[in-house]
Tab-separated table of all heavy atoms in Angstrom:
chain	number	residue	atom	x	y	z
A	70	GLN	N	142.716	-135.572	-46.760
A	70	GLN	CA	143.834	-135.778	-45.730
A	70	GLN	C	144.926	-136.466	-46.694
A	70	GLN	O	144.733	-137.655	-47.095
A	70	GLN	CB	143.448	-136.576	-44.660
A	70	GLN	CG	144.436	-136.564	-43.561
A	70	GLN	CD	143.851	-137.303	-42.340
A	70	GLN	OE1	144.311	-138.407	-42.008
A	70	GLN	NE2	143.020	-136.638	-41.593
A	71	ASN	N	146.052	-135.836	-46.941
A	71	ASN	CA	146.968	-136.317	-47.878
A	71	ASN	C	146.252	-136.438	-49.291
A	71	ASN	O	145.531	-135.584	-49.655
A	71	ASN	CB	147.723	-137.543	-47.440
A	71	ASN	CG	148.542	-137.317	-46.198
A	71	ASN	OD1	149.487	-136.379	-46.246
A	71	ASN	ND2	148.398	-138.078	-45.171
A	72	GLU	N	146.358	-137.585	-49.866
A	72	GLU	CA	145.740	-137.785	-51.180
A	72	GLU	C	144.250	-138.328	-51.066
A	72	GLU	O	143.547	-138.440	-52.001
A	72	GLU	CB	146.520	-138.699	-52.008
A	72	GLU	CG	146.661	-140.151	-51.645
A	72	GLU	CD	147.655	-140.385	-50.554
A	72	GLU	OE1	148.248	-139.391	-50.053
A	72	GLU	OE2	147.878	-141.522	-50.144
A	73	ALA	N	143.957	-138.707	-49.807
A	73	ALA	CA	142.588	-139.338	-49.663
A	73	ALA	C	141.504	-138.268	-49.472
A	73	ALA	O	141.590	-137.365	-48.559
A	73	ALA	CB	142.628	-140.264	-48.442
A	74	GLN	N	140.508	-138.405	-50.314
A	74	GLN	CA	139.267	-137.520	-50.251
A	74	GLN	C	138.361	-138.187	-49.153
A	74	GLN	O	137.674	-139.055	-49.375
A	74	GLN	CB	138.634	-137.337	-51.438
A	74	GLN	CG	137.525	-136.252	-51.479
A	74	GLN	CD	136.989	-135.977	-52.970
A	74	GLN	OE1	137.044	-136.886	-53.778
A	74	GLN	NE2	136.415	-134.876	-53.131
A	75	LEU	N	138.415	-137.572	-47.914
A	75	LEU	CA	137.646	-138.135	-46.845
A	75	LEU	C	136.201	-137.610	-46.651
A	75	LEU	O	135.412	-138.272	-46.024
A	75	LEU	CB	138.377	-137.957	-45.457
A	75	LEU	CG	139.820	-138.587	-45.436
A	75	LEU	CD1	140.431	-138.403	-44.062
A	75	LEU	CD2	139.764	-139.978	-45.824
A	76	ASP	N	135.921	-136.511	-47.230
A	76	ASP	CA	134.543	-135.988	-47.075
A	76	ASP	C	134.315	-135.122	-48.339
A	76	ASP	O	135.045	-134.205	-48.709
A	76	ASP	CB	134.457	-135.031	-45.829
A	76	ASP	CG	133.125	-134.538	-45.566
A	76	ASP	OD1	132.197	-134.729	-46.382
A	76	ASP	OD2	132.908	-134.079	-44.474
A	77	LYS	N	133.301	-135.481	-49.130
A	77	LYS	CA	132.937	-134.765	-50.269
A	77	LYS	C	131.429	-134.380	-50.220
A	77	LYS	O	130.728	-134.192	-51.154
A	77	LYS	CB	133.251	-135.449	-51.594
A	77	LYS	CG	132.700	-136.760	-51.720
A	77	LYS	CD	133.238	-137.391	-53.072
A	77	LYS	CE	132.726	-138.769	-53.240
A	77	LYS	NZ	133.193	-139.369	-54.538
A	78	SER	N	130.916	-134.347	-49.018
A	78	SER	CA	129.511	-134.139	-48.773
A	78	SER	C	128.957	-132.769	-49.194
A	78	SER	O	127.859	-132.602	-49.418
A	78	SER	CB	129.205	-134.307	-47.236
A	78	SER	OG	129.851	-133.394	-46.422
A	79	GLY	N	129.858	-131.798	-49.332
A	79	GLY	CA	129.476	-130.511	-49.654
A	79	GLY	C	129.428	-130.285	-51.256
A	79	GLY	O	128.969	-129.140	-51.577
A	80	LEU	N	129.909	-131.114	-51.972
A	80	LEU	CA	129.954	-130.907	-53.460
A	80	LEU	C	128.512	-130.829	-53.922
A	80	LEU	O	127.691	-131.764	-53.715
A	80	LEU	CB	130.669	-132.023	-54.199
A	80	LEU	CG	132.155	-132.075	-53.871
A	80	LEU	CD1	132.811	-133.331	-54.543
A	80	LEU	CD2	132.857	-130.855	-54.251
A	81	PRO	N	128.130	-129.747	-54.610
A	81	PRO	CA	126.634	-129.565	-54.953
A	81	PRO	C	126.117	-130.441	-56.071
A	81	PRO	O	124.816	-130.711	-56.047
A	81	PRO	CB	126.597	-128.054	-55.366
A	81	PRO	CG	127.991	-127.687	-55.873
A	81	PRO	CD	128.932	-128.582	-55.005
A	82	SER	N	126.964	-131.011	-56.861
A	82	SER	CA	126.476	-131.894	-57.885
A	82	SER	C	127.617	-132.717	-58.404
A	82	SER	O	128.737	-132.492	-58.104
A	82	SER	CB	125.793	-131.085	-58.987
A	82	SER	OG	126.738	-130.505	-59.818
A	83	ASP	N	127.209	-133.719	-59.213
A	83	ASP	CA	128.292	-134.515	-59.842
A	83	ASP	C	129.078	-133.839	-60.884
A	83	ASP	O	129.950	-134.427	-61.513
A	83	ASP	CB	127.737	-135.833	-60.327
A	83	ASP	CG	126.683	-135.691	-61.419
A	83	ASP	OD1	126.516	-134.567	-61.861
A	83	ASP	OD2	126.064	-136.670	-61.807
A	84	ARG	N	128.874	-132.578	-61.213
A	84	ARG	CA	129.607	-131.768	-62.056
A	84	ARG	C	130.873	-131.338	-61.385
A	84	ARG	O	131.842	-130.811	-62.079
A	84	ARG	CB	128.859	-130.589	-62.558
A	84	ARG	CG	127.624	-130.910	-63.386
A	84	ARG	CD	126.949	-129.661	-63.994
A	84	ARG	NE	126.404	-128.776	-63.060
A	84	ARG	CZ	127.002	-127.643	-62.656
A	84	ARG	NH1	128.133	-127.193	-63.204
A	84	ARG	NH2	126.444	-126.869	-61.723
Side-chain angles (χ1 to χ4, degrees):
Chain A
Q70 193 174 105
N71 294 307
E72 69 278 4
Q74 189 174 22
L75 299 185
D76 187 347
K77 53 182 180 180
S78 62
L80 296 176
S82 76
D83 58 8
R84 296 186 296 104

